[in-house]
Amino acid sequence: MPGWSSDFDSWSSNALNRGAVDQLADFGDRAPGMPYAHPTVEHFTPLFVTLRATTDPTEPPTTTVGGYALGLSKRSLQAA
């Protein structure tokens, strides 16, 4: 598994759990593993639609799918 994949996953999971939405929004400049983890934004930006639809975007979401497949991290969230 590439280190950039696990580094990005750990960074984003940690930011989500702290409710650091501003940090997540600046992922292109702040996240480790860039630009390899998300060379284009279309796989990461749906997260912000989900967070905006929640009652409180600073509340930590529940990870419903996690882990790695083919060396890349995968994460699916459920937010209230």
Side-chain angles (χ1 to χ4, degrees):
M1 161 181 43
W4 53 260
S5 180
S6 59
D7 291 347
F8 183 90
D9 184 65
S10 178
W11 175 86
S12 60
S13 176
N14 189 342
L16 279 167
N17 288 331
R18 289 183 288 120
V21 177
D22 290 341
Q23 184 178 3
L24 289 166
D26 198 20
F27 76 97
D29 293 325
R30 299 178 85 171
M34 293 302 295
Y36 304 109
H38 286 282
T40 58
V41 298
E42 70 270 7
H43 289 108
F44 193 68
T45 54
L47 169 67
F48 299 104
V49 175
T50 302
L51 291 176
R52 182 66 179 144
T54 66
T55 305
D56 183 358
T58 62
E59 279 293 314
T62 302
T63 297
T64 57
V65 174
Y68 297 88
L70 302 173
L72 301 176
S73 68
K74 60 182 181 171
R75 185 173 298 277
S76 181
L77 306 172
Q78 177 180 344

